[in-house]
Amino acid sequence: MKKLIYIKTLLIVCLLVVTLPLHATNEAEYKQIKKTYTINEDGSYSLRVCKEIKLLTHKAFNDIYGESFIIYNPKRQSVKINDSYTTQADGTVIKTPTNAFNEVLPFSAASAPAFNHLRELVVTHTGLELGATIYLDYTLTTTPADKSTAYFDISEQITESSPVKEYTISITAPSTTYLGYELLNSRVKPKVSGNTIQWIFRNLPAAAIESYKSQNGDAPRLIATTLEANSVAERYSKIADIKYESLANTLTADIKSEDKKLETLVNYVVRGTNLSPLPFSYQDNTERCLKLVSTSGYATKMEKAVLLNSLLNSVGVSSEFVFIYPNTIDSSMLTYSALKGVLLKVGDVYYSTSSTTPVDLSVRSAFDSYYTIQGGEFEKLDVEPSKQVVKNYTDSISSTANDNSGYITYTPKDINRGVVRSWNMNKLPTVRTSTLELPSQANESSVWNIELKDGVTLQTPLMNISLEEDFGSLSINLTQEGNIVTLKREISFKKQSITPSEYKKFRNFIMQWGSKKGSVLLFEK
């Protein structure tokens, strides 16, 4: 009998060992997510969202999924809660009470009175416990403010912080309405039935929480729009020549140099105008008038770009908009929702509205494409890859070096200031599940020629380290000829995306580059 009890206990422990890691890895699991868009002929549309999520840990309902948030614009949107309840582990159904629905100001609209009409409906889920399932069903209806905003335009990333068993998106549009769409990072094929198109994704993994993730995302993304190609380009071509002379003249009243005027106006927009983090879509993809923007002291990214362009136009500094889109998007899908940002091109120099330092387009040319507007249409810019950075140093070491041990530890000048060293990748984890994105291109070569004086000798063994991988190559060479010690370090990358299958080799590669071997030399005096 005792033996039977022992075996049963052992089996229970084994089952716990098998199941606990699953719960530890995922805080919850979405049983299903359904998003249904219905587009009307007048440009209005509705979105019905149904979510069903099972809670697996205490953290899931204490910190993560205890509330749901729905941001909307009451001036042209309305929210209707169709159903909201929690099914507890024993099957008990707890309806969400009326006082669990509360409106607050969205964080992105804080400190920006012009956007204080926006609302965030907070749904506080009740009856939560381990094993409970939250069910939320609501409809968000959008009515265009005017004819210029009577369109449908979305960019949906198909991923969540926990795994999803089934994720469905469907769009229904009138047969007379143009609907363009593109699915990125997925091979899921759409199902078309009448005027409805549907995508069904199954067993989606949780979004990875890792550093150096892809800025554009490697999860599936759906872009869909009723806007015709070049609609964005046409709109901004009409406001590209707008001027704001009164403010521009005031800011540059005593400045004669065009370069100084440029510097002054860039400083004003970047440092003198606070950035509002409000997403462009919450602003109907439009900007406030220039006077309101300048007198309010804050602006969205797009408002800042339009303001700076108008100021430069006013003082005779020629500039043009440069629109940034992920380079995986088809040229017919360059919409508002897919837009990443806007730069201003002045001569051959590119400026953002978040920094006074010019932007180097080659840093992200492997991931992003850049477009100017020519004749009301987008025209793609050709971006040259970054050139190799070559640095040469000359130094000397003598027996008078301040070290009483009889040995000299020597760190070559600027060795920690290289591009790759600046990424701080010296503590990468051993395992990775998502694509790693290098912060920039890198192609650097550094040579240190060190003269030994007064009988100083090199104690570090000579070395010739060379690694060649599909993603890049490196070499570290330490040689000596007479009293001249030469350290040469070279590293270059053929691409900026490292897949999970390449990660192990990449980690070894980057650790070799950052190790003390070949970075710190030892001499005896």
Side-chain angles (χ1 to χ4, degrees):
M1 185 65 180
K2 288 183 179 180
K3 185 175 181 181
L4 183 60
I5 293 173
Y6 173 78
I7 292 174
K8 286 183 176 180
T9 304
L10 183 62
L11 285 172
I12 291 172
V13 171
C14 290
L15 286 171
L16 285 173
V17 170
V18 171
T19 57
L20 280 176
L22 295 176
H23 286 198
T25 300
N26 302 312
E27 307 290 350
E29 181 185 59
Y30 284 91
K31 291 184 176 180
Q32 67 170 351
I33 297 176
K34 288 184 178 180
K35 292 186 177 181
T36 305
Y37 289 96
T38 303
I39 304 170
N40 304 312
E41 290 187 352
D42 63 356
S44 64
Y45 62 90
S46 65
L47 164 62
R48 183 166 185 174
V49 179
C50 301
K51 292 185 177 183
E52 193 174 349
I53 181 169
K54 184 175 182 180
L55 308 175
L56 304 178
T57 67
H58 289 88
K59 184 177 181 180
F61 58 83
N62 285 327
D63 299 331
I64 306 175
Y65 301 108
E67 295 176 319
S68 294
F69 306 93
I70 307 166
I71 297 177
Y72 71 104
N73 181 351
K75 291 184 177 181
R76 64 182 191 90
Q77 291 180 311
S78 62
V79 178
K80 177 187 176 184
I81 302 297
N82 303 314
D83 212 348
S84 180
Y85 59 87
T86 300
T87 301
Q88 296 184 311
D90 63 358
T92 302
V93 176
I94 308 294
K95 294 287 289 184
T96 306
T98 305
N99 64 357
F101 302 95
N102 298 283
E103 289 188 344
V104 299
L105 181 69
F107 175 78
S108 60
S111 303
F115 311 132
N116 282 179
H117 61 280
L118 297 176
R119 291 293 177 266
E120 183 172 32
L121 179 61
V122 181
V123 181
T124 303
H125 302 291
T126 54
L128 305 184
E129 62 179 11
L130 284 177
T133 299
I134 297 171
Y135 183 87
L136 177 63
D137 178 353
Y138 67 89
T139 300
L140 177 65
T141 302
T142 301
T143 303
D146 52 43
K147 188 177 180 179
S148 67
T149 59
Y151 57 82
F152 172 80
D153 185 25
I154 63 167
S155 177
E156 291 267 359
Q157 189 163 10
I158 319 299
T159 185
E160 295 290 340
S161 54
S162 288
V164 184
K165 280 191 173 181
E166 186 172 284
Y167 197 129
T168 303
I169 293 184
S170 63
I171 303 174
T172 300
S175 58
T176 56
T177 300
Y178 163 78
L179 178 65
Y181 57 85
E182 183 176 18
L183 180 64
L184 307 176
N185 306 324
S186 175
R187 295 181 180 178
V188 170
K189 300 297 182 183
K191 297 180 180 179
V192 181
S193 176
N195 294 335
T196 300
I197 184 166
Q198 183 184 76
W199 292 263
I200 300 176
F201 306 85
R202 291 187 174 87
N203 300 318
L204 292 171
I209 304 176
E210 296 174 320
S211 57
Y212 306 101
K213 288 176 64 176
S214 169
Q215 191 181 107
N216 294 340
D218 51 10
R221 179 178 291 277
L222 175 66
I223 302 170
T225 186
T226 57
L227 288 169
E228 297 287 346
N230 284 309
S231 293
V232 177
E234 288 176 7
R235 177 173 180 270
Y236 281 96
S237 68
K238 296 175 182 178
I239 63 177
D241 297 326
I242 291 178
K243 297 181 180 181
Y244 192 1
E245 292 179 341
S246 58
L247 178 59
N249 292 337
T250 299
L251 294 171
T252 61
D254 301 321
I255 302 173
K256 303 298 181 183
S257 165
E258 186 173 291
D259 288 343
K260 191 64 178 177
K261 287 181 180 180
L262 171 62
E263 180 185 342
T264 300
L265 296 177
V266 169
N267 268 318
Y268 171 77
V269 172
V270 172
R271 296 173 177 168
T273 307
N274 292 327
L275 175 65
S276 170
L278 190 78
F280 199 34
S281 60
Y282 294 161
Q283 203 181 350
D284 296 331
N285 299 324
T286 57
E287 302 82 23
R288 294 173 293 155
C289 74
L290 295 174
K291 187 173 182 179
L292 283 177
V293 171
S294 62
T295 56
S296 68
Y298 60 88
T300 63
K301 287 182 179 180
M302 286 302 304
E303 287 176 339
K304 278 194 165 196
V306 173
L307 175 61
L308 179 56
N309 184 67
S310 67
L311 293 173
L312 294 174
N313 285 340
S314 301
V315 297
V317 177
S318 179
S319 67
E320 57 183 320
F321 293 117
V322 178
F323 295 80
I324 310 171
Y325 285 95
N327 62 11
T328 52
I329 293 178
D330 186 82
S331 60
S332 65
M333 299 300 294
L334 303 180
T335 66
Y336 291 110
S337 64
L339 181 63
K340 291 188 61 180
V342 179
L343 305 174
L344 284 176
K345 182 176 184 288
V346 180
D348 293 325
V349 182
Y350 300 86
Y351 293 92
S352 75
T353 56
S354 58
S355 172
T356 56
T357 303
V359 177
D360 180 1
L361 300 191
S362 69
V363 169
R364 288 199 53 79
S365 61
F367 308 110
D368 297 331
S369 294
Y370 303 88
Y371 297 85
T372 56
I373 301 174
Q374 303 294 332
E377 297 184 356
F378 279 128
E379 184 173 287
K380 189 175 180 180
L381 288 173
D382 291 325
V383 180
E384 294 184 3
S386 60
K387 297 179 181 179
Q388 185 183 45
V389 177
V390 179
K391 295 181 179 180
N392 290 285
Y393 301 90
T394 301
D395 203 353
S396 63
I397 299 178
S398 68
S399 59
T400 58
N402 187 20
D403 192 319
N404 297 322
S405 66
Y407 291 91
I408 303 168
T409 301
Y410 177 82
T411 301
K413 183 180 179 181
D414 293 343
I415 196 166
N416 294 316
R417 293 187 179 182
V419 174
V420 178
R421 286 291 188 97
S422 70
W423 298 341
N424 295 317
M425 288 188 175
N426 56 322
K427 293 183 179 179
L428 290 174
T430 55
V431 178
R432 188 177 181 93
T433 60
S434 66
T435 298
L436 182 147
E437 184 174 288
L438 301 182
S440 63
Q441 294 183 0
N443 185 1
E444 53 185 310
S445 174
S446 299
V447 180
W448 291 265
N449 290 303
I450 307 160
E451 182 182 4
L452 305 184
K453 297 181 178 180
D454 305 327
V456 172
T457 58
L458 175 67
Q459 296 301 302
T460 301
L462 301 180
M463 65 184 75
N464 183 11
I465 299 171
S466 180
L467 289 177
E468 183 75 33
E469 302 291 354
D470 291 340
F471 49 79
S473 60
L474 70 78
S475 63
I476 302 173
N477 294 289
L478 180 63
T479 60
Q480 182 173 1
E481 187 171 333
N483 66 332
I484 302 297
V485 172
T486 300
L487 174 64
K488 184 175 183 180
R489 294 169 56 90
E490 292 186 317
I491 189 169
S492 63
F493 290 92
K494 301 172 186 175
K495 59 180 185 175
Q496 284 181 251
S497 290
I498 309 299
T499 65
S501 62
E502 297 172 315
Y503 178 71
K504 184 176 180 180
K505 288 183 177 179
F506 171 78
R507 183 177 181 275
N508 176 63
F509 183 90
I510 211 74
M511 292 299 176
Q512 177 66 70
W513 183 253
S515 71
K516 288 188 176 181
K517 187 176 182 181
S519 299
V520 178
L521 305 181
L522 182 65
F523 296 92
E524 184 178 9
K525 60 181 182 178

